[in-house]
Amino acid sequence: MDPSKSPMENALELTRLSVIGPDLFTNTRYYRPPGLFQHALAPDSLIRPRELWHPPGARGIYGGAVIAQSLFAAWQTVPPPSSSDSHAVFLPHSMHCYFVLAGDSTIPIIYYVERVREGRSFLTRTVQARQKGNCIITTTISFMKEGSGGGKAVEHGWDMPAGVRDSLEASVKVDEEDAKDEKEAEGHGVESRGPFISRILGICNDDSPQPQARRPQSWLRCRGSISAAGGILAHLSALAYMSDSWFIGTVSRIHHLERSSRHASAPSPVLPHMAQDQIVEHTSNGGSTRGHDLSGKESVNTPAQQPNAGLGMMVSLDHTIYFHRPREVKADEWMFSEMESPWSGEGRGLVIQRIWNKEGRLLASCFQEVRTLPRIRNGPK
């Protein structure tokens, strides 16, 4: 682990496999213990994958890590500004991911990048993340040249919910206390608790009779400070990493249903000291308020009779991120997240997430569709 970089940068770092192909990358790294001759060929036992987090109860590795590394890999193929045009900087404005297979945290991932389009204003890349020859996630990423939108633009955007900034001071206080505990723990050889922090506020409009009106809210940020060398690439990749946090459980939380899994009792071999507030379900009331219908009128889209026995399994199907203001993303500063689900049915649920910076500027909008398999038990046995 490079101490000059944040935990997030270390988690996202990839190795270019230039000896195999120009646009191939992997999360494998070479570990060279002290005393080994600098130019000696490292034996296979010293080639180690950067293990990605496998959340307790999940079928595979944390999808946000592969999403972020796919963005990181694609960005390596984007040409830098030329000497004739120093302002020709291409930044990602959208990425669309499909989760194909569950990933294994103990096996290296190979990222195959394809250069689909080389335009004057837009570049397109596809990335396939593969293990043992099988695709686990496929992603399409579009990069837009800065300044190509014209001098004037039509602008609007969602405002941050009123009152949530009041909760930030408490989050900062807890963060400072955790930092002290972490430094003491690391002094005794205890592993870090993961590359980011999340502070769950609760569910806005939790008393609404309509699940689609309820909105889970949280603050999140990277641990430590992203290095100057990491730059905007590290900040946007970090946002991509964190955007998958809590996404999958939104449908169950707004319906006040328990999530269960046959894997839930198995301990996680990866990142054993991951912060509990990142892996424990949260359904308490709280957060800010917004106008919502409390009339109790039944919606034509929301039946009064709902499953009441919880969800047996939830699997993410896809994940989309729209980067609205790439230059303003500072992933090592607190960002506010609010999620909602406009629809669920046919064994699937759609979740929307908006992410603001602490000044209230909308940074990104994210979408995810989730496969929901309920343990239906209507009424007592």
Side-chain angles (χ1 to χ4, degrees):
M1 184 170 178
D2 187 344
S4 68
K5 299 180 180 179
S6 66
M8 181 65 75
E9 291 174 89
N10 280 283
L12 296 178
E13 187 175 354
L14 297 177
T15 300
R16 193 164 202 151
L17 301 176
S18 55
V19 295
I20 302 176
D23 297 333
L24 295 180
F25 305 84
T26 182
N27 64 326
T28 298
R29 62 179 171 180
Y30 289 92
Y31 169 71
R32 190 180 302 276
L36 185 66
F37 182 58
Q38 181 178 1
H39 300 292
L41 182 64
D44 291 344
S45 61
L46 299 181
I47 301 176
R48 301 177 179 178
R50 295 180 182 274
E51 291 195 359
L52 304 179
W53 182 38
H54 186 142
R59 295 168 58 246
I61 56 179
Y62 173 59
V66 186
I67 292 170
Q69 289 188 336
S70 294
L71 174 60
F72 194 96
W75 210 325
Q76 306 307 308
T77 70
V78 173
S82 63
S83 56
S84 60
D85 187 357
S86 61
H87 299 289
V89 178
F90 286 85
L91 299 177
H93 70 90
S94 68
M95 62 186 302
H96 306 269
C97 316
Y98 284 92
F99 299 102
V100 182
L101 295 172
D104 187 334
S105 62
T106 64
I107 299 175
I109 301 174
I110 306 298
Y111 294 90
Y112 295 75
V113 182
E114 180 181 356
R115 306 186 187 209
V116 178
R117 182 191 182 194
E118 302 287 337
R120 286 184 293 181
S121 298
F122 291 90
L123 307 178
T124 305
R125 301 289 185 264
T126 61
V127 183
Q128 282 200 2
R130 291 179 169 269
Q131 287 185 322
K132 293 186 174 180
N134 298 316
C135 179
I136 61 173
I137 290 183
T138 180
T139 305
T140 299
I141 306 172
S142 181
F143 295 82
M144 180 178 178
K145 181 180 176 181
E146 276 194 303
S148 60
K152 295 183 179 180
V154 177
E155 296 187 5
H156 70 270
W158 276 86
D159 288 331
M160 180 189 290
V164 296
R165 286 192 186 89
D166 298 338
S167 63
L168 181 57
E169 184 176 347
S171 296
V172 171
K173 183 177 181 180
V174 174
D175 186 29
E176 292 174 348
E177 294 174 354
D178 281 358
K180 293 179 182 178
D181 294 340
E182 278 186 27
K183 187 167 290 187
E184 293 179 2
E186 289 173 356
H188 293 85
V190 177
E191 186 178 356
S192 176
R193 298 186 300 169
F196 75 99
I197 310 164
S198 61
R199 301 299 180 209
I200 310 303
L201 300 183
I203 302 178
C204 168
N205 298 341
D206 199 33
D207 54 350
S208 171
Q210 306 295 340
Q212 64 270 22
R214 303 167 189 160
R215 299 184 177 95
Q217 300 175 333
S218 64
W219 287 98
L220 47 87
R221 65 179 295 270
C222 293
R223 293 188 185 277
S225 298
I226 291 179
S227 67
I232 189 172
L233 168 57
H235 283 282
L236 293 182
S237 298
L239 185 148
Y241 187 108
M242 294 185 285
S243 71
D244 195 36
S245 176
W246 296 95
F247 231 157
I248 192 171
T250 300
V251 173
S252 65
R253 283 194 291 275
I254 64 174
H255 278 270
H256 301 155
L257 296 176
E258 295 178 353
R259 285 179 59 192
S260 64
S261 170
R262 61 187 177 90
H263 306 288
S265 60
S268 172
V270 184
L271 297 182
H273 300 285
M274 175 65 69
Q276 291 300 308
D277 61 359
Q278 293 179 22
I279 61 178
V280 179
E281 282 301 327
H282 181 93
T283 56
S284 67
N285 189 16
S288 67
T289 59
R290 283 190 179 179
H292 56 284
D293 181 17
L294 292 177
S295 64
K297 181 180 178 181
E298 184 174 342
S299 166
V300 296
N301 290 297
T302 309
Q305 187 74 8
Q306 296 281 353
N308 60 3
L311 295 172
M313 184 177 73
M314 300 189 73
V315 180
S316 299
L317 299 176
D318 54 36
H319 189 104
T320 295
I321 306 175
Y322 294 97
F323 300 97
H324 304 314
R325 296 183 170 96
R327 286 288 181 189
E328 297 184 32
V329 173
K330 304 298 179 186
D332 51 4
E333 297 180 2
W334 286 107
M335 298 180 291
F336 177 75
S337 165
E338 181 179 74
M339 301 183 188
E340 63 180 318
S341 177
W343 176 86
S344 181
E346 302 293 334
R348 292 173 287 118
L350 178 65
V351 182
I352 302 173
Q353 176 182 199
R354 288 175 284 271
I355 300 176
W356 292 266
N357 62 16
K358 59 185 179 181
E359 287 76 31
R361 299 273 284 175
L362 185 62
L363 301 176
S365 296
C366 311
F367 297 79
Q368 188 171 108
E369 192 171 41
V370 178
R371 177 77 165 132
T372 57
L373 299 176
R375 292 185 292 111
I376 299 178
R377 186 176 68 243
N378 293 314
K381 288 185 177 180

